[in-house]
Amino acid sequence: GSSWRQWRAGQTGGRFAGMDTAATLRGFALVLFGVAPWLREPGSTDEARGLERKDSSETRTKNALPPDSRPSMSVRMKRIRPYPDIVAQVEENFHGRNSVNRRNRALNKYNAMKGKGLLSKQPEPSKLDVLADELDLARPRRIKQVPCGLPDLWPEPDPRYPEVAFAGRSNVGKSSLLNALTERGSVARVSDEPGTTNMLAWHRTGKIGMDFVDMPGYGFATRARVFGPETIEFVKTRPNLRCLYVLIDCRFGFKVADHEWLDELGGRGPIKQIILTKCDLLRPKVLIKAASLVRADLEAHKRVERKLLLVSSHAKTGLHELRCDIVRRVVGAKSESDLAGDADEQPRDLV
């Protein structure tokens, strides 16, 4: 018995001989008590501002619930049934990982069949496609940049320049997408640090006659800075805003901040269009399920388009479809303003 206890003591001492005592105690505390409350991600906007405090007993009760009561995104993706239109959208537009190689193989096959005369004559591009190409070649210029909380400094709405706004959680890829929309000129400053955009910025394109509005990221950029209320007030009260593009990272889907922000908007403001960003980081099959999960979450919100737009700023996929959607909304708004502005004058055919 004594020899076994001596051997066991030697094994235990050898296991922790090279470890720091403080590091060992911290590891035991992490296992016993979990992550410190001040290091956890806030669950709501009020909690991030310090207006709401989560009780530790409630947290322990929540963590004690069975997994089926709080399914994670991976569990929900296993249960979701893909939407047929999303499957077609991913396959036809080469969304997902390795999209460049798949697109090049399809292009080589198309050129080979075209060289052999096996393809019929392709239809002419529509006027919407032509305007989308013009938007691609446009050179936007910044006309105004003001803080969200100073509405008196916002530029006056001009019916000749309808506005479309881009918003999303911090570090969702909004700045990269705005820069990828136009090949000539940089619209927004790109940074790996969340919360870089903290002001409202208007960028005007003369070719199409419209304004891009770059909005601050909502949610939890840093624990001390939250841009939710100002952006909500802007969307609700801006009369010249024709569409709000809400960016969602395809890897994470809807977060708490996304649901709360759309709930605050409700039925007010313009129509909302969801854009899934960074689609080149997921495999096509995984992307189909992730997009279907986001599509299912849209049923809980008002005035939101049910069709999703999938884009990748890095692989340049889905950008033409986004430009066509922007031009369609802007052209429709300009046609309405022409009809309302002068009833005697024959409106121009902008389409």
Side-chain angles (χ1 to χ4, degrees), residues 104-120:
N104 290 338
R105 286 196 297 266
L107 183 59
N108 294 335
K109 184 178 180 180
Y110 170 81
N111 292 332
M113 295 179 65
K114 184 178 180 180
K116 296 179 181 179
L118 301 177
L119 296 178
S120 59

Side-chain angles (χ1 to χ4, degrees), residues 128-199:
L128 194 64
D129 292 327
V130 173
L131 288 176
D133 293 336
E134 291 184 3
L135 179 60
D136 183 21
L137 300 176
R139 189 186 299 273
R141 58 183 181 88
R142 181 183 298 173
I143 60 173
K144 195 76 172 182
Q145 183 175 1
V146 295
C148 298
L150 299 177
D152 295 338
L153 299 181
W154 296 348
E156 291 294 329
D158 190 347
R160 298 174 302 173
Y161 297 96
E163 300 170 349
V164 293
F166 290 80
R169 295 184 75 249
S170 300
N171 207 23
V172 77
K174 176 169 56 66
S175 299
S176 299
L177 177 61
L178 286 173
N179 292 334
L181 279 176
T182 57
E183 294 184 358
R184 300 181 179 180
S186 178
V187 176
R189 184 169 65 91
V190 180
S191 175
D192 293 333
E193 180 183 355
T196 301
T197 306
N198 53 16
M199 304 182 74

